Amino acid sequence: MSVIGLPALESDLARQLVLIGHGGTDWTRPRAHSQGHVHDVVIVGGGQSGLAAAFGLLRERVSNILVIDENPAGLEGPWDTYARMITLRTPKNLNPIDFGIPALSYRAWWEAQHGAAGWEAVDKIARGDWMAYLRWYRRVLNLPVRNDTKLTLIEPLGDGLHRLHLDGQPPLLARKVVLATGIQGGGEWHTPAMIRDALPRSLYAHTSEPIDFAALRGKRIGILGGGASAFDNANAALGLGVGEAHVFIRRPLLPRINPIRFMEQVGFTGRYPALSDADKYSVMASFLGHNQPPTNDTFDRAASWPGFALHLGAPWTAVEQRDGGVHVTTPVGNFMFDFVVLSTGLLSDPGLRPELAALASSIARWADRYTPPPGSSNALIDAHPYLGEGFELTPREEGQGDALHGLFAFNYSALISLGLSASALSGLQTALPRLLRGVTDQLFLDDRTALVADLLAYDEAEFVGQWPKPKEEAA
């Protein structure tokens, strides 16, 4: 493919959308409410999952939708905010959000600007390029996104409606709410109590937060955790002039296995939901136990910096503020740092989400639905929400379902119930149809009485032929 430019690609995309019958009249039934417009679906989160879900709903002829995102336009998701990897970790040939439409694929977007030879030269997709593609995806599909809009609370109103309270804005009304809130949207980033209780916020940050590494030029920083983000942050810090970056891992060996690669190869991404609860539990206990390693190029880049140091078998056993810095005690020695960075992952639990505060006690967790064999329980798994087949939240007890009806968790907290779905680019291609089926089936079944009645009363004549033919027509 030669370099054709984005205008030509967009023209081709418009033609392909016509060929697949995109667009048309909605089939959903409008709802009226005294407090304002009722959306069929509000999607919370305008990153890759939220944008793709919106396009998928439009393909299903559900256009009374809105995507909201708390960030300014163009800064949705992690890619231009707190993500610090140079490239994505997923293979470049994945097609996560194009729905099989060739001109909408990342490869088509790339080749339109750089040609086929440029694509062959790509090893992994650059983080900034992926974000540029998402901005193009939103623009070219004309998706209904409202930025600078933060959800603070979901309030069930009964009759299948939810009031969405917003920070500093009038509330929205919606029949269905899709929480496409990314990796942190199912809980919160984990800050160990030993850090939180010992240090002022000026001396530490989580990898999920903005960090002014340039202000730490020439300083020493310590990074707790051995996952991929630890090495991403070490590279970013050293590249911006930090004098030394020390990574501490509690394990005696670096993590080497990335189970996502196996899942991609044998169909786990799409078929995982068919497993029994017992199989899901054992699979995810193993998955969470591995910890995602850095890519080889990320590790090599970090290791090549003169100021980089790696400490294995070195959990932090004590932390204290000392002489304006941070004193860290480990089994391999004591260290002083000017600042510390936490690559300590996250916790998934609906009870940690402020927008679910009115509903959290009613939401079923894995601990409510499955009891693992003695000695194999995993508290991290147990706290995840136990979701239905279409990502819907399910009630903890009988009689609590009405308040949860219409709420879908399309974020990292779906990992245990539905696998690599909204939690990874690897899973989106197969997860999106499942979500869309779940949402649209609910919309249809909620209105089934009226829809069936209309079908039974339908009497619009399509065939107008007559027999025997009128004499003048026969002649």
Side-chain angles (χ1 to χ4, degrees):
M1 178 179 174
S2 60
V3 177
I4 62 172
L6 289 181
L9 177 64
E10 291 166 15
S11 177
D12 191 22
L13 173 59
R15 173 64 175 160
Q16 290 179 17
L17 291 174
V18 170
L19 291 174
I20 65 172
H22 178 64
T25 305
D26 276 16
W27 53 266
T28 56
R29 291 305 186 88
R31 293 284 185 94
H33 197 279
S34 60
Q35 296 179 20
H37 178 76
V38 178
H39 296 86
D40 283 334
V41 186
V42 169
I43 299 168
V44 184
Q48 59 203 20
S49 295
L51 295 178
F55 178 55
L57 287 168
L58 294 176
R59 292 183 74 227
E60 293 289 334
R61 298 189 177 180
V62 178
S63 65
N64 179 25
I65 65 174
L66 179 67
V67 181
I68 61 174
D69 194 282
E70 65 185 18
N71 298 297
L75 293 178
E76 305 84 2
W79 308 114
D80 265 358
T81 52
Y82 65 83
R84 297 182 178 95
M85 72 282 283
I86 293 176
T87 66
L88 305 188
R89 302 183 186 111
T90 46
K92 71 175 184 179
N93 290 312
L94 289 175
N95 293 85
I97 61 173
D98 55 46
F99 289 92
I101 303 169
L104 191 58
S105 65
Y106 178 87
R107 178 172 179 173
W109 175 83
W110 179 265
E111 288 188 346
Q113 302 168 89
H114 306 284
W119 176 253
E120 292 303 319
V122 172
D123 177 29
K124 293 184 179 67
I125 296 172
R127 172 171 54 86
D129 291 337
W130 180 252
M131 187 64 212
Y133 166 70
L134 293 177
R135 295 185 184 112
W136 175 80
Y137 184 100
R138 168 182 171 174
R139 176 182 64 79
V140 77
L141 295 173
N142 193 30
L143 299 176
V145 183
R146 186 203 292 183
N147 287 94
D148 302 305
T149 302
K150 182 177 182 178
L151 173 67
T152 58
L153 184 71
I154 298 174
E155 178 191 1
L157 297 179
D159 195 28
L161 296 183
H162 298 276
R163 181 186 289 119
L164 307 186
H165 295 263
L166 308 175
D167 185 12
Q169 300 181 36
L172 299 170
L173 298 175
R175 297 178 63 187
K176 310 298 171 190
V177 182
V178 176
L179 297 171
T181 42
I183 191 168
Q184 77 277 18
E188 66 181 15
W189 295 103
H190 176 50
T191 298
M194 66 179 297
I195 304 291
R196 185 178 59 248
D197 296 341
L199 301 178
R201 287 299 275 118
S202 59
L203 289 179
Y204 74 91
H206 196 280
T207 55
S208 63
E209 298 175 310
I211 304 175
D212 187 1
F213 284 125
L216 296 169
R217 186 176 185 85
K219 305 290 188 178
R220 287 166 50 94
I221 68 169
I223 302 175
L224 176 62
S229 67
F231 295 89
D232 293 335
N233 278 264
N235 274 316
L238 293 166
L240 289 170
V242 168
E244 296 181 24
H246 294 244
V247 173
F248 292 81
I249 302 178
R250 70 175 183 273
R251 308 177 191 216
L253 298 172
L254 280 168
R256 299 190 179 277
I257 298 170
N258 186 352
I260 294 178
R261 298 292 89 88
F262 179 82
M263 292 179 169
E264 292 166 351
Q265 294 167 16
V266 301
F268 261 81
T269 48
R271 307 284 78 80
Y272 173 92
L275 293 173
S276 68
D277 284 354
D279 284 338
K280 289 179 180 179
Y281 203 95
S282 63
V283 165
M284 283 304 162
S286 173
F287 177 85
L288 295 174
H290 278 297
N291 203 359
Q292 188 177 18
T295 59
N296 289 307
D297 57 323
T298 297
F299 175 77
D300 290 342
R301 192 179 301 115
S304 68
W305 289 100
F308 177 80
L310 176 62
H311 306 278
L312 300 172
W316 290 6
T317 57
V319 175
E320 62 176 313
Q321 183 179 2
R322 186 183 297 181
D323 300 327
V326 181
H327 182 267
V328 174
T329 303
T330 81
V332 298
N334 300 333
F335 300 85
M336 277 296 301
F337 297 112
D338 299 290
F339 192 81
V340 294
V341 176
L342 309 179
S343 178
T344 45
L346 60 104
L347 302 174
S348 289
D349 183 341
L352 299 173
R353 298 305 307 168
E355 66 271 16
L356 294 175
L359 299 163
S361 62
S362 302
I363 297 171
R365 273 70 156 184
W366 266 77
D368 300 314
R369 293 290 182 268
Y370 177 73
T371 302
S376 62
S377 63
N378 185 307
L380 292 176
I381 294 177
D382 292 341
H384 280 70
Y386 189 93
L387 303 180
E389 294 183 355
F391 293 88
E392 67 271 24
L393 294 172
T394 61
R396 177 172 270 168
E397 298 177 3
E398 187 176 350
Q400 296 177 325
D402 288 349
L404 300 178
H405 184 74
L407 303 182
F408 298 80
F410 198 60
N411 53 39
Y412 193 80
S413 70
L415 177 67
I416 310 303
S417 295
L418 295 158
L420 292 177
S421 47
S423 59
L425 279 173
S426 306
L428 279 176
Q429 185 178 39
T430 53
L432 284 163
R434 180 177 291 275
L435 170 72
L436 297 169
R437 184 167 60 250
V439 173
T440 54
D441 278 0
Q442 270 200 17
L443 286 168
F444 182 83
L445 291 175
D446 287 352
D447 292 338
R448 63 189 178 277
T449 301
L451 291 168
V452 169
D454 284 352
L455 173 64
L456 296 178
Y458 181 75
D459 62 355
E460 183 176 329
E462 179 177 349
F463 176 67
V464 296
Q466 298 182 43
W467 188 263
K469 292 282 189 179
K471 290 182 179 180
E472 61 273 15
E473 184 177 330

